């Protein structure tokens, strides 16, 4: 009898443990029919990731008691046009971290969004997809420092409604760089932070990253992204500024933009943005290396999970700029030609599961 009671108690304890844990599978499939017109010709194709990056992920949490939880996320990018894995250098390229959360905030270890990448990748604010200007301009926030390997990320607890903040350090921001963490090699040692506020119709945020770009640490990359906006109910207006600088170059890349979001109906919304990029290649001082980017997006929700999207983008290069409209599936088509323009149109569907 006592053995039976002990066995039942063990089963009950095990069931309670399972009840306090959860693991879920989730994902996004995003596909478009796209046409890009350059200076001499037009390319048409099926493309991926125009509204959101196609992905497959696992996330889980366990209640450890006393307000403490263990969390993890494993997430990989996929390509809906080819079925290929998003990044051949690694499998869980979008996220691979584990952490502990409680009243002290949350500590995460592993590959994760950088302090500026987290802000840029928020599609409700800015966006780092193929038709977003931060991506087209190849900013640090959307490309080189979009995510960090080997990161220690601390999310501060919420002390004020709507206010969030984090600090971050990476022992090597990109593990694909030869050398790795070793004596006398400072390449990839990166730190950053961000602060964001969203309440009562007001949005504002600041992100910063500082990374060592060579083994000796003498070359440093710095990136900053700041935005502010207000929701007027009939429309939301957001202004933003991005700055990228490397001590190995003569210039500073600057992007200034403004975005307007208009909810036409419960199901349909329109978004328009215009941005000016100065010193697109981060090289020659005084060069007329500038570009103008104009984008228009329409989003129609068929359901909570399925969305139709129409994208239009226009890029105008100055006499020395060679920017090109970018899609995360296969990058720029043919590259940009100095002093010319490009136009791209895409019609697609996104499904979330």
């Amino acid at each position: 009898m006592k053995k039976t009671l002990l066995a039942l108690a063990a089963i009950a304890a095990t069931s309670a443990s399972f009840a306090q844990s959860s693991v879920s599978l989730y994902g996004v499939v995003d596909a478009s029919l796209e046409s890009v017109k350059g200076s001499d010709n037009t390319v048409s194709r099926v493309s991926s990731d125009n509204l959101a990056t196609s992905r497959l992920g696992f996330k889980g949490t366990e209640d450890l008691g006393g307000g403490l939880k263990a969390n993890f996320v494993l997430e990989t990018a996929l390509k809906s046009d080819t079925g290929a894995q998003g990044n051949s250098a690694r499998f869980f390229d979008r996220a691979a971290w584990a952490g502990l959360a409680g009243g002290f905030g949350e500590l995460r270890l592993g590959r994760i969004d950088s302090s500026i990448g987290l802000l840029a990748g928020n599609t409700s604010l800015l966006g780092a997809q193929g038709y977003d200007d931060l991506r087209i301009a190849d900013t640090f926030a959307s490309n080189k420092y979009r995510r960090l390997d080997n990161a220690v990320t601390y999310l501060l607890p919420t002390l004020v409604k709507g206010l969030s903040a984090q600090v971050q350090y990476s022992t090597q921001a990109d593990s694909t760089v030869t050398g790795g963490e070793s004596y006398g090699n400072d390449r990839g040692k990166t730190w950053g932070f961000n602060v964001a506020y969203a309440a009562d119709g007001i949005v504002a945020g600041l992100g910063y990253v500082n990374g060592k770009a060579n083994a000796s640490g003498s070359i440093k990359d710095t990136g900053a992204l700041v935005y502010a906006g207000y929701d007027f109910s009939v429309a939301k207006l957001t202004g933003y500024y991005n700055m990228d600088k490397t001590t190995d170059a003569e210039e500073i890349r600057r992007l200034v933009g403004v975005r307007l979001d208009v909810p036409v109906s419960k199901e349909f919304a329109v978004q328009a943005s215009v941005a000016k990029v100065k010193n697109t290649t981060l090289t020659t001082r005084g060069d007329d290396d500038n570009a103008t980017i104009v984008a228009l997006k329409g989003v129609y929700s068929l359901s909570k999970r399925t969305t139709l999207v129409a994208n239009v983008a226009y890029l105008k290069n100055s006499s020395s700029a060679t920017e090109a409209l970018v899609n995360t599936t296969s990058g720029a088509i043919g590259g940009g030609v100095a002093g010319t323009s490009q136009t791209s149109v895409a019609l697609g569907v996104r499904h979330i599961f």
Side-chain angles (χ1 to χ4, degrees), residues 62-107:
E62 180 183 11
D63 190 340
L64 301 173
L68 186 65
K69 293 183 178 181
N71 302 316
F72 81 89
V73 173
L74 297 171
E75 188 174 293
T76 182
L78 303 170
K79 297 305 176 186
S80 60
D81 54 336
T82 64
Q85 181 198 342
N87 189 321
S88 59
R90 66 192 85 203
F91 187 75
F92 290 115
D93 57 317
R94 288 181 55 84
W97 59 263
L100 294 173
F104 60 87
E106 185 171 6
L107 181 67

Side-chain angles (χ1 to χ4, degrees), residues 29-303:
V29 183
D30 182 297
S32 298
L33 181 61
E34 181 179 55
S35 179
V36 181
K37 185 180 186 304
S39 56
D40 298 321
N41 50 47
T42 299
V43 176
S44 298
R45 61 180 180 176
V46 174
S47 62
S48 181
D49 309 342
N50 282 325
L51 181 59
T53 301
S54 297
R55 73 197 74 166
L56 180 67
F58 304 87
K59 59 183 177 181
T61 184
E62 180 183 11
D63 190 340
L64 301 173
L68 186 65
K69 293 183 178 181
N71 302 316
F72 81 89
V73 173
L74 297 171
E75 188 174 293
T76 182
L78 303 170
K79 297 305 176 186
S80 60
D81 54 336
T82 64
Q85 181 198 342
N87 189 321
S88 59
R90 66 192 85 203
F91 187 75
F92 290 115
D93 57 317
R94 288 181 55 84
W97 59 263
L100 294 173
F104 60 87
E106 185 171 6
L107 181 67
R108 299 174 178 176
L109 303 176
R111 179 168 172 81
I112 198 169
D113 291 335
S114 75
S115 295
I116 55 175
L118 183 66
L119 301 182
N122 188 339
T123 55
S124 66
L125 292 172
L126 301 174
Q129 299 305 120
Y131 281 76
D132 295 316
D133 43 41
L134 290 172
R135 176 72 182 183
I136 294 171
D138 195 30
T139 62
F140 285 168
S142 69
N143 192 3
K144 186 175 182 179
Y145 290 96
R146 175 65 179 85
R147 296 177 177 86
L148 301 183
D149 293 342
N150 308 298
V152 180
T153 305
Y154 172 56
L155 287 72
L156 278 67
T158 301
L159 302 176
V160 177
K161 177 186 174 182
L163 184 66
S164 62
Q166 73 172 39
V167 292
Q168 192 173 55
Y169 177 77
S170 170
T171 58
Q172 189 189 37
D174 184 358
S175 61
T176 63
V177 175
T178 303
E181 295 95 330
S182 60
Y183 293 115
N185 187 354
D186 285 341
R187 184 191 296 274
K189 287 179 169 49
T190 302
W191 64 274
F193 69 89
N194 67 40
V195 179
Y197 179 80
D200 303 321
I202 301 171
V203 294
L206 166 66
Y208 177 83
V209 69
N210 183 303
K212 297 180 179 180
N214 64 340
S216 67
S218 60
I219 299 175
K220 295 182 176 64
D221 292 335
T222 56
L225 177 61
V226 61
Y227 66 88
Y230 186 77
D231 191 340
F232 297 91
S233 296
V234 294
K236 181 171 72 173
L237 184 65
T238 307
Y240 46 99
Y241 171 79
N242 182 92
M243 181 277 292
D244 298 330
K245 180 181 179 181
T246 177
T247 56
D248 195 35
E250 297 182 36
E251 269 294 3
I252 299 174
R253 176 168 52 215
R254 294 182 172 89
L255 181 148
V256 179
V258 62
R259 169 172 151 175
L260 182 68
D261 291 86
V262 181
V264 179
S265 68
K266 183 179 178 180
E267 297 82 13
F268 182 56
V270 176
Q271 175 194 119
S273 65
V274 58
K276 183 75 173 180
V277 190
K278 185 177 181 181
N279 306 315
T280 59
T281 57
L282 264 181
T283 53
T284 307
R285 183 179 297 276
D287 194 10
D288 187 18
D289 187 16
N290 309 320
T292 301
I293 304 167
V294 180
L296 181 65
K297 180 186 299 181
V299 178
Y300 185 83
S301 298
L302 296 175
S303 69

